[in-house]
Amino acid sequence: MGIFYEQVKERLIRYAKVDTQSQNGVNKTPTTGKQFDLAHMLRDELVKIGVSDVWLDEKNCVVYGTIPSNIEGGMPIGYVTHMDTAPDAPGENVKPWVVEKYDGGAIILNKEKNIVMSPEDFPNLKMYIGQDLICTDGTTLLGGDDKASIASVMTMAEYYTSHPEVKHGTIALAFTPDEEVGGLAKDLDLDRFAAKIAYTLDGDHLGYYEYETFNASWATVKIKGISVHTGTAKGIMINSVDVANEFMSTLPPFEKPQYTDDREGFFHIISVRGTCEEAEIQLIVRDHDPVQFANREPSLEMVTDQLNRKYPSGTVTLDIQEQYRSMKEVIDRVPFMVDYLRQAISDCGIEPRSIAFRGGTDGSALSQRGLPCPNLSAGYENAHGRFEYVPVQSMEKNVEILLRLNELYANL
Ligand SMILES: [Zn+2]
C-alpha cells in the first residue's frame, strides 16, 4: 500500500457521494446548481490544506488554486479536472464501497436487486486482480469520471503543502463544471489560471494519454418544398422528405460511425424530420485529419448546390457551425508536453499508451483558446453507468505520475 492509498480512497468516496450531475439542454451555467455543492467542498478543502489563491467563481462554478513555486526557474504547469457527472445514468444517492483485493470473480454489487458485475461482461476487471476497487451499489453511476482525478490532484496538492522541503515550480489547479454536457471549460478564466500550459485529467485506463481529438462541426440542412393537393400534384409538388432523402443518399455510405474507427472520419445523421412542405436534417461531421476535415464541408456545399440546380434555387440551405478543433495542431507546437507526459508515466512503471480520441474534450477547446491541454487518463472504468468502478491503485499511481511530471517541469 502506497503512501497515498488512504487519501485517494477517502477522497473519491467522499466526492462521489456529492451529486453533481449536469444536464443536457439547459441554457445556464452551471447547468445544475448542485455542482456548487462539490465546488464549495473543494474550495474549503484547498484552503484547509494550505493551497494559495483559492477562489470559487460563484457565478460560473469554477474553483481555482495555486501551489506557488519554491524554486528558481521551472515552468508553471496546470491541471484541469471536471466536477460534474454524466446525465446518462442515475447520479443521485451514490453509495460507493470498496472491493478489497479483487479475486477475479463476479462482484455482487447489489444483493437485494441481484445486480452483479462479472469479468465475462467486463473483461477489463481481469487487469485489476489483487487491487482494491471502488464500486457502486449497482443503481447509480460512481462518478469516478472525473472525481478519481480530483482525488489524485487534491492528494498531490496536500503532499506539497505538507512537505515544503519538496521542490516544485508553480502548479495551477482548476475544477470546472459541465464537461459531460459540452461545457468545454468555457468559463475557465485563463488570466486567473497561473500556468500557460496544462493537462486535463479525464478518461479511463491508467497510463493512457491523448493529444489528438476530432475536428468537429454541426450542419443543419433545411429544405423547403412545394405542397399541393396530391390529386393535382403532377409537375408541381416538391416533397421535402424526398429531397432530404436525396441529400442523405449522397453521403459516402461507409463513412459513418458504425463503419469507422481509429483515425477515420465520418458524417453522422443526428436527426431527420419533415413533411412535404419542409424538412430538416441535423448532422455532425468528424475527422482527426485537418485537411480531410476541411474537405468535408465543401462536399456538403456541393450537394446543396446540385440540389438547388435540380430544384428551384433556395430549396436547400446549409448552415455549418464549427464545434471544436483537434488539439493536435496546438500541441504540435509544444511537443515537450507529450514527451514529458510519456516520460512521467513510464518513470512510474506504467507503459504510456496513446489513442486518437474519437470525440472532443475540454482540452480541445482550451487548446484552441491558447492553453495547450493534452489529457492524462483518470483511471476509471465503465464510466457513465452503474458498473463504473475505480481501482484505488490507479488513483495512487496517478498521484505519483503527477509528482514526477511536476519534477520534470521544475527542472526546466
Ligand atoms: Zn470525464
Side-chain angles (χ1 to χ4, degrees):
M1 222 174 272
I3 57 168
F4 302 119
Y5 180 92
E6 289 300 334
Q7 293 174 60
V8 288
K9 182 170 87 172
E10 181 276 328
R11 284 197 163 101
L12 175 56
I13 290 174
R14 181 158 46 88
Y15 302 152
K17 287 178 183 167
V18 184
D19 175 7
T20 56
Q21 201 161 39
S22 49
Q23 199 179 335
N24 276 307
V26 176
N27 198 13
K28 60 173 184 168
T29 304
T31 58
T32 54
K34 58 193 175 185
Q35 294 179 65
F36 275 108
D37 296 345
L38 184 59
H40 287 131
M41 185 191 267
L42 296 179
R43 175 194 61 189
D44 295 348
E45 191 170 341
L46 287 167
V47 170
K48 192 172 146 227
I49 63 183
V51 169
S52 304
D53 301 329
V54 177
W55 191 65
L56 166 60
D57 178 344
E58 294 274 5
K59 184 166 162 275
N60 298 308
C61 196
V62 181
V63 185
Y64 300 82
T66 307
I67 306 165
S69 171
N70 59 9
I71 53 167
E72 294 283 317
M75 181 185 268
I77 175 76
Y79 299 106
V80 180
T81 58
H82 70 88
M83 297 183 285
D84 64 315
T85 58
D88 316 26
E92 204 183 351
N93 211 2
V94 176
K95 297 192 195 73
W97 64 289
V98 185
V99 175
E100 285 180 2
K101 294 198 179 56
Y102 173 57
D103 64 4
I107 298 171
I108 300 167
L109 294 176
N110 193 316
K111 206 168 175 185
E112 205 178 309
K113 297 199 162 88
N114 194 26
I115 301 169
V116 177
M117 174 162 68
S118 73
E120 285 75 51
D121 297 332
F122 302 103
N124 280 344
L125 276 170
K126 291 280 186 197
M127 299 195 298
Y128 302 110
I129 292 175
Q131 299 193 17
D132 305 321
L133 312 181
I134 301 183
C135 300
T136 70
D137 71 351
T139 65
T140 65
L141 48 69
L142 177 66
D145 175 4
D146 193 23
K147 292 167 183 172
S149 284
I150 302 179
S152 294
V153 167
M154 278 291 189
T155 302
M156 168 200 82
E158 187 174 14
Y159 177 75
Y160 287 129
T161 53
S162 58
H163 292 83
E165 73 283 4
V166 177
K167 302 293 177 210
H168 58 82
T170 300
I171 300 164
L173 310 177
F175 306 92
T176 56
D178 289 333
E179 189 274 345
E180 301 289 2
V181 293
L184 299 174
K186 66 180 166 45
D187 295 311
L188 178 65
D189 179 353
L190 298 186
D191 294 330
R192 185 176 284 276
F193 193 68
K196 297 281 171 257
I197 52 171
Y199 295 87
T200 53
L201 295 140
D202 204 354
D204 42 23
H205 320 320
L206 177 69
Y208 278 72
Y209 65 96
E210 286 127 22
Y211 60 95
E212 184 173 17
T213 54
F214 271 145
N215 296 288
S217 58
W218 182 291
T220 304
V221 183
K222 286 189 175 157
I223 299 151
K224 271 204 174 338
I226 298 174
S227 177
V228 290
H229 192 282
T230 48
T232 54
K234 189 168 182 182
I236 304 168
M237 178 190 280
I238 297 173
N239 190 334
S240 297
V241 177
D242 289 336
V243 181
N245 216 359
E246 269 183 87
F247 189 100
M248 290 187 290
S249 69
T250 64
L251 299 177
F254 294 107
E255 291 181 22
K256 295 182 177 179
Q258 60 269 45
Y259 302 117
T260 52
D261 62 5
D262 293 334
R263 298 186 79 258
E264 296 164 333
F266 59 75
F267 296 99
H268 172 59
I269 309 284
I270 298 277
S271 74
V272 195
R273 52 175 196 82
T275 59
C276 183
E277 185 100 28
E278 52 186 17
E280 190 175 296
I281 307 165
Q282 303 280 349
L283 68 118
I284 58 171
V285 187
R286 298 289 186 263
D287 215 308
H288 286 111
D289 186 292
V291 177
Q292 284 182 33
F293 179 71
N295 287 333
R296 287 182 183 273
E297 204 165 301
S299 78
L300 293 178
E301 278 160 4
M302 209 166 72
V303 177
T304 304
D305 282 353
Q306 275 166 4
L307 289 172
N308 277 332
R309 264 194 291 262
K310 178 171 174 185
Y311 299 105
S313 162
T315 299
V316 183
T317 55
L318 171 70
D319 176 58
I320 303 179
Q321 300 290 338
E322 184 174 288
Q323 291 177 284
Y324 54 85
R325 295 193 63 82
S326 174
M327 64 170 81
K328 187 172 185 295
E329 57 192 67
V330 177
I331 307 299
D332 280 348
R333 286 178 238 144
V334 280
F336 62 88
M337 288 195 78
V338 175
D339 296 341
Y340 286 159
L341 187 56
R342 288 182 57 85
Q343 190 184 336
I345 296 169
S346 67
D347 285 353
C348 291
I350 306 287
E351 187 197 339
R353 278 187 268 200
S354 177
I355 46 163
F357 186 58
R358 291 178 69 76
T361 67
D362 280 0
S364 328
L366 289 170
S367 296
Q368 289 305 322
R369 280 174 60 199
L371 183 74
C373 224
N375 183 58
L376 170 65
S377 272
Y380 49 73
E381 296 285 339
N382 301 339
H384 297 198
R386 298 175 299 143
F387 297 99
E388 188 182 1
Y389 65 95
V390 178
V392 180
Q393 283 79 1
S394 293
M395 288 188 287
E396 270 192 287
K397 196 47 103 174
N398 265 341
V399 180
E400 286 174 37
I401 291 171
L402 296 182
L403 294 178
R404 178 67 187 128
L405 191 55
N406 295 333
E407 222 168 66
L408 294 169
Y409 278 96
N411 291 333
L412 280 178

